[in-house]
Amino acid sequence: MAILSMTEMPKLKELAQKYGYTIHIHDSCGGQAFGLDKASENASDEVYEALESFFKEYKMTVTYFDARKTGFTVK
């Protein structure tokens, strides 16, 4: 499992906010998991493409837990 450095976390949170979302990072011994919540009524589904592009820059791939795409990991 890939790990996003702590110095990159603020960039990720700022990116999610641009699309009306809040992102939560859950860090544990086995790796990281991320939660995505709508923070405004104007939240845009374009956030998913933006997240995938963000992680692609770090040579990571987003894997969503389910069709709702509210949680994911990266590899």
Side-chain angles (χ1 to χ4, degrees):
M1 185 172 295
I3 303 293
L4 185 66
S5 78
M6 294 299 284
T7 59
E8 301 305 319
M9 302 281 183
K11 292 178 189 176
L12 179 61
K13 287 184 175 252
E14 185 177 314
L15 174 70
Q17 285 179 333
K18 287 181 185 177
Y19 293 92
Y21 284 83
T22 301
I23 194 160
H24 308 279
I25 296 111
H26 309 281
D27 198 13
S28 66
C29 297
Q32 294 171 323
F34 303 86
L36 197 59
D37 295 319
K38 287 185 179 181
S40 79
E41 292 181 19
N42 299 326
S44 171
D45 287 344
E46 292 177 11
V47 69
Y48 304 114
E49 185 177 330
L51 288 172
E52 291 166 18
S53 293
F54 175 87
F55 282 105
K56 189 174 184 178
E57 290 181 28
Y58 298 96
K59 298 180 178 20
M60 298 179 193
T61 304
V62 174
T63 304
Y64 296 101
F65 295 143
D66 57 32
R68 294 183 312 143
K69 296 185 176 181
T70 57
F72 63 93
T73 60
V74 290
K75 295 181 183 182

